[in-house]
């Protein structure tokens, strides 16, 4: 495949990099099979302990120099990365689609997110502002400034194999940090491609070796990162179970963490919604990336008066979905990431039926021509109660739950009554309902939308959620502050030394 050659992906790849230097390690081999057709794309050698130590030492040495580069100069490097990504957008988008299984449009969209965050970070490099404050003591000046933390560990998930790394690394780099990236072992080749792109830019600009590093491996490698006192910040994206383990390990050493964990996202369909517009948001949110986004729509909370009409629209739309090769842009839905995900999908359907769920669009695994990988499933819809145990759980698959409500207070209560708190939405033309949904008594999620779905966040806003979603924030707004340490400074330019609070101390 031409896009593999363009991105420098070989049949066998080293998975450990201190930058432009790829390290031979003695780790096991990770084989990357495409969920699209089941074919082996390539292999990556895992990072062993010696390779990990070499990466850490390289990153620590690079930080000493990198932090002294002026932030706008670091921003210029990120600008060039954005240009390099523009040149490789088609190839990288195809790799994302083929290795992960999302549609080509979504693969290209993910690369566009990388480009967008580069643009954002370039501007940010001239806006790392601190505040100035008035001192209570005469002849004193107070202000705060922000300094880089050091090494940032980035643990990313399979469903966004490149964008989440970019959200973290581009901001961290303009802030003066260096990054160690541990991608999901399910999509390791995407990390090799990204490192190859970055290496070209860094080499051309004499960026210190170690500013961008990669380690590949499984759970044990993540544990090394989380427990390493030399890494002041860990940004981890994945399941709530994984996040609790990472958070506990980082917290035990008083490190900092950014946790982007599970979602159980709902759209409220009001009696005053534009049902045609709501249909687009609901269907894309539920079946986009085959339901494997942390912002995927899991629940539709629908008003009694429009329930039947909207249910019928959904069933009709689902009957028109085309499931197949995600690189074929005629298809709406690609495969799940692997057969383990298929098994979990089947188990979730069975649990839902056992609790009394009524499937109005049946699920199932697809077989035959074009489905040889065994990873293609049917998006399905079940009528349920919000308190069902399976509904309270995040199912990473295209299973959509329908729930009735009778008034807006009940709808918001249903929306909030799950352990997760990432994304939420309401479809309504009623201003009062919209404002109540966005108020202190409304959605308890980190993201709350009106008349758009739960999925598809823009990089300008801070991304993240509350409760079991972890509380972290990435990407836009002032999320950059998580990658830096705040320092308060007071300067006395007088000939006296008055103490704060009027304290007297005479010698």
């Amino acid at each position: 495949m031409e896009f593999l050659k363009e991105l420098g992906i070989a049949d066998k790849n080293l998975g450990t990099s201190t930058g432009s230097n790829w390290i031979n390690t003695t780790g096991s081999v990770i084989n990357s099979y495409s969920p699209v057709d089941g074919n082996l794309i390539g292999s990556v050698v895992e990072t062993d302990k010696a390779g990990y130590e070499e990466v850490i030492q390289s990153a620590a040495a690079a930080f000493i120099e990198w932090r002294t580069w002026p932030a706008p100069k670091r921003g210029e490097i990120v600008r060039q990365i954005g240009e390099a990504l523009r040149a490789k957008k088609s190839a990288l988008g195809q790799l994302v689609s083929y290795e992960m299984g999302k549609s080509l449009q979504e693969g290209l969209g993910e690369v566009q997110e990388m480009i967008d965050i580069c643009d954002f970070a370039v501007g940010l490099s001239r806006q790392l502002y601190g505040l100035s404050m008035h001192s209570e003591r005469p002849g004193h000046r107070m202000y705060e400034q922000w300094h880089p933390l050091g090494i940032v560990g980035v643990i990313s998930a399979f469903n966004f194999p490149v964008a989440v790394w970019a959200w973290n690394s581009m901001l961290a780099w303009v802030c003066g940090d260096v990054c160690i990236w541990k991608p999901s072992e399910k999509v390791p080749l995407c990390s090799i491609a990204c490192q190859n792109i970055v290496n070209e830019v860094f080499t051309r600009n004499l960026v210190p070796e170690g500013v961008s590093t990669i380690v590949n491996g499984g759970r044990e490698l993540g544990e090394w990162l989380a427990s390493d006192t030399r890494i002041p910040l860990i940004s981890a994206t994945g399941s709530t179970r994984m996040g609790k383990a990472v958070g506990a390990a980082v917290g035990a050493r008083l490190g900092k963490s950014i946790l982007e964990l599970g979602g159980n996202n709902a759209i409220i369909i009001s009696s005053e919604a534009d049902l045609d517009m709501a249909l687009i948001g609901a269907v894309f949110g539920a079946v986009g990336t085959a339901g494997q986004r942390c912002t995927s729509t899991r629940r539709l909370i629908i008003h009694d008066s429009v329930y039947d009409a909207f249910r019928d629209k959904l069933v009709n739309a689902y009957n028109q979905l085309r499931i197949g090769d995600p690189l074929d842009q005629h298809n709406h839905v690609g495969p799940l990431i692997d057969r383990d995900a298929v098994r979990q999908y089947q188990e979730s359907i069975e649990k839902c039926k056992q609790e009394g769920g009524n499937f109005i669009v049946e699920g199932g695994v697809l077989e035959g021509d074009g489905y040889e990988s065994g990873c293609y499933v049917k998006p399905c819809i079940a009528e349920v109660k919000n308190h069902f145990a399976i509904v309270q759980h995040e199912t990473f698959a295209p299973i959509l739950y329908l729930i009735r409500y009778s008034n807006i207070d009940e709808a918001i209560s249903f929306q909030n009554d799950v352990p997760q708190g990432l994304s939420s939405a309401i479809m309504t033309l009623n201003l009062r309902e919209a404002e109540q949904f966005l108020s202190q008594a409304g959605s308890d999620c980190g993201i709350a939308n009106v008349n758009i779905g739960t999925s598809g966040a823009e990089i300008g806003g801070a991304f993240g959620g509350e409760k079991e979603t972890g509380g972290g924030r990435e990407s836009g707004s002032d999320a950059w502050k998580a990658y830096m340490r705040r320092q308060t400074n007071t300067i006395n330019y007088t000939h006296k030394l008055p103490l704060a609070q009027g304290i007297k101390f005479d010698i």
Side-chain angles (χ1 to χ4, degrees), residues 266 268-270 299 301-303 386 404-417 426 437:
I268 297 171
I269 310 295
S270 163
R299 299 173 294 145
I301 302 168
I302 309 171
H303 192 272
N386 199 62
R404 289 178 178 267
Y405 81 92
S406 57
N407 61 68
I408 187 63
D409 291 329
E410 182 181 42
I412 292 173
S413 176
F414 286 158
Q415 138 69 37
N416 292 343
D417 192 21
I426 187 171
F437 180 72

Side-chain angles (χ1 to χ4, degrees), residues 187-263:
V187 285
L189 299 178
C190 284
S191 71
I192 307 301
C194 289
Q195 186 73 346
N196 287 340
I197 292 170
V198 168
N199 281 345
E200 292 180 6
V201 175
F202 279 14
T203 300
R204 186 169 65 243
N205 288 275
L206 303 178
V207 172
E209 181 82 4
V211 172
S212 177
T213 61
I214 288 183
V215 290
N216 266 284
R219 179 175 177 174
E220 184 181 31
L221 184 53
E223 291 171 348
W224 294 348
L225 288 164
S227 301
D228 198 325
T229 57
R230 295 168 292 183
I231 305 175
L233 173 66
I234 295 288
S235 176
T237 304
S239 69
T240 296
R241 177 193 57 78
M242 180 277 288
K244 286 180 177 179
V246 170
V250 176
R253 60 179 176 85
L254 297 182
K256 299 182 179 182
S257 59
I258 301 171
L259 299 177
E260 300 290 357
L261 311 176

